[in-house]
Amino acid sequence: MRITGLGHAGMFIETAGGSILCDPVVKSSFYGSWFVFPDNRGLDWERFGAADMLYISHRHRDHFDPWLLRQYVRPNIEILLPDYPTDDLEQDLRKLGFHNITYTHAGEVIERGPLRLMVTPLRAPSDGPIGDSSLSVDDGSASILNQNDSHPLDLEKLLSFSKPELYFTQFSGAIWWPMVYDLPEDAKKNFAHLKREAQHKRAMYYIEKVDAPHVFPMAGPPMFLRDELFRYNGWGLENDSIFTDQAQFLARLADEAPQYDGHVFIPGTVVTLESGDLSVEQTLYTDAEIDEMFADKWGYLERQRAARQQEIADEEASRAEVLPPAEMLAALKEWWEPLLRRARTIRSGVGGAVRMTIGELDLVVDFPKAKVREYAGEEAVYWFTIPADLVSTNIAEHEIDWSNSIFLSMQFTASRSGKFNEFITTFFKCLSRDRIEYVENWYAEQADVSEDTQIGDWVVQRRCPHLRADLSKTGKIEDGVLTCSLHDWKWDLTSGRCLTTQGHPIRSHPIEDALYREATAPAAI
């Protein structure tokens, strides 16, 4: 088996049963904000586009590049489609002319001669753009797990496919917190450090659970080349950003878990596994160039910024004409109010008004009343300031996922009156009837928390209120605080209150309370 790195989460897998092109991206993503680091334009895209199969893990634009697919990938290629609750990814692919679709199913093994494949989907509101997935591959000579951005909950089921020898996984950030928030600089630095540590702990959790001998960090970090975002590359010029690079992560991996062999995996990295023997070579960059780009990363980024300003200008020129404020308000009102009326759980979870300043328009999304109207001076739980051309473009394209466009672009600012509110970001990634109805039903199904588990001296509900992880496996308690290690969400066990976000309480009580109730319960007759 041979795996070639294509940049970010992209890879080209050659096996005894055919080749698979995974998450190929070359254009910038999220309104010209994210570029692939390091530059991958020099790869032989004609060769990779002639693959036997195409796997797109999810709709995020740093994984799904319509331009590249149209330009290089043959239209009759077999598509390995993850089993998602809505058909948005399928419709995106069909619009590009791809119709040879294999519908995969969770836990189902697909065979192509000696090649065995399994796509494991995740479907929670917080999983990517309402869906993320991983790809397991085994051709009899080698077994790999391409986890990319996904955070699977049932690792035992996933790993029952085969024991991976090579493990490819996300290690860096992919979020806007805390960089866009109106916070004191010291607070930003502290929150950025905590976010980097949480991301690192999650990556290490999966590495230890998967227990593959060879680890390849991928799916990050992005490269910011827009002038207003340039300072947020890596840890940031002011140490207030969250993006760890490959060299930094591999250094920590070697120090904290030397039993695993970590390898640089960038555009042009070719990994070959044959009869248990592994070789790793660099074909696009020399070892000296790789050492230099990490040792003098700001210098490398400056050269990239200087060389790619035309791409940024071209993207800006492609945006829609800015709508007048009254037209923009009317369009958003017509679009969002029917969705708000259906979003009962989301409205209750937000519990207040969200203010949005969009160019000259100052509006409020009144979640309790399911209304979109002009701002009238009331208090807001959140406040977003967004450029009008981005919103106008999203309206023109009827973009149903603003996380997959405006928010991941980081071309906005935000403030809030309390903790992070997951229901707000969920609403803005569910701007279609299908998505709203799916998420509302999903929240309703999570209300079943009848099963308990014991962790240390506490009895807690077994399923995490966030994404239903099994807390008997992912939960840790320290000083009365429960932490779910998958996403570093925390709860005060005495009160059951979530310390990470509004809502999402947990049921918990000390073990001695349970023993007392059992001892004093009336005898069964």
Side-chain angles (χ1 to χ4, degrees), residues 323-344:
L323 291 170
E327 288 185 30
M328 183 179 293
L329 178 62
L332 294 176
K333 184 180 182 69
E334 181 182 10
W335 181 4
W336 292 356
E337 285 190 353
L339 301 176
L340 286 165
R341 289 193 290 270
R342 293 178 177 275
R344 293 181 178 86

Side-chain angles (χ1 to χ4, degrees), residues 116-138:
R116 298 169 62 247
L117 303 165
M118 186 174 74
V119 176
T120 301
L122 304 176
R123 307 182 181 99
S126 297
D127 289 324
I130 315 296
D132 206 334
S133 64
S134 62
L135 175 68
S136 302
V137 181
D138 190 322

Side-chain angles (χ1 to χ4, degrees), residues 394-439:
N394 271 15
I395 291 172
E397 298 178 354
H398 202 73
E399 173 54 63
I400 61 175
D401 185 350
W402 286 30
S403 176
N404 193 20
S405 51
I406 291 173
F407 292 150
L408 279 171
S409 80
M410 286 174 46
Q411 295 177 50
F412 73 103
T413 58
S415 60
R416 65 195 195 203
S417 60
K419 294 192 292 291
F420 168 67
N421 190 311
E422 181 187 34
F423 293 102
I424 294 175
T425 54
T426 298
F427 176 76
F428 283 115
K429 66 167 67 173
C430 293
L431 298 176
S432 72
R433 178 171 172 173
D434 286 351
R435 286 188 167 214
I436 281 290
E437 290 185 349
Y438 168 73
V439 167

Side-chain angles (χ1 to χ4, degrees), residues 247-265:
Q248 291 166 332
F249 179 80
L250 288 170
R252 287 192 67 173
L253 177 66
D255 182 57
E256 296 172 14
Q259 67 271 32
Y260 302 110
D261 288 331
H263 306 271
V264 170
F265 190 68

Side-chain angles (χ1 to χ4, degrees), residues 160-203:
S160 67
F161 171 82
S162 66
K163 173 67 174 176
E165 297 155 279
L166 312 181
Y167 177 46
F168 300 82
T169 187
Q170 183 194 56
F171 69 99
S172 186
I175 198 66
W176 51 87
W177 164 263
M179 291 81 71
V180 304
Y181 277 84
D182 180 18
L183 292 167
E185 192 57 37
D186 286 348
K188 277 193 177 183
K189 291 178 181 179
N190 180 55
F191 286 132
H193 170 75
L194 293 174
K195 185 66 177 176
R196 293 195 302 267
E197 288 300 302
Q199 290 167 166
H200 181 79
K201 285 193 294 184
R202 182 176 63 203

Side-chain angles (χ1 to χ4, degrees), residues 227-288:
D227 289 342
E228 69 272 23
L229 299 179
F230 188 76
R231 66 182 294 271
Y232 291 119
N233 279 294
W235 291 4
L237 280 173
E238 303 297 330
N239 199 30
D240 57 354
S241 191
I242 64 167
F243 303 100
T244 302
D245 70 29
Q246 293 92 330
Q248 291 166 332
F249 179 80
L250 288 170
R252 287 192 67 173
L253 177 66
D255 182 57
E256 296 172 14
Q259 67 271 32
Y260 302 110
D261 288 331
H263 306 271
V264 170
F265 190 68
I266 60 174
T269 303
V270 176
V271 183
T272 305
L273 187 61
E274 185 174 3
S275 301
D277 294 329
L278 181 78
S279 69
V280 180
E281 61 177 328
Q282 303 296 339
T283 63
L284 185 60
Y285 296 100
T286 66
D287 290 339

Side-chain angles (χ1 to χ4, degrees), residues 30 79 86 90 105 190 193 241-242 268 352 394 462 464 474 493:
F30 312 122
I79 305 291
T86 61
E90 178 183 354
H105 301 283
N190 180 55
H193 170 75
S241 191
I242 64 167
N394 271 15
R462 182 164 184 169
C464 174
T474 64
L493 290 177

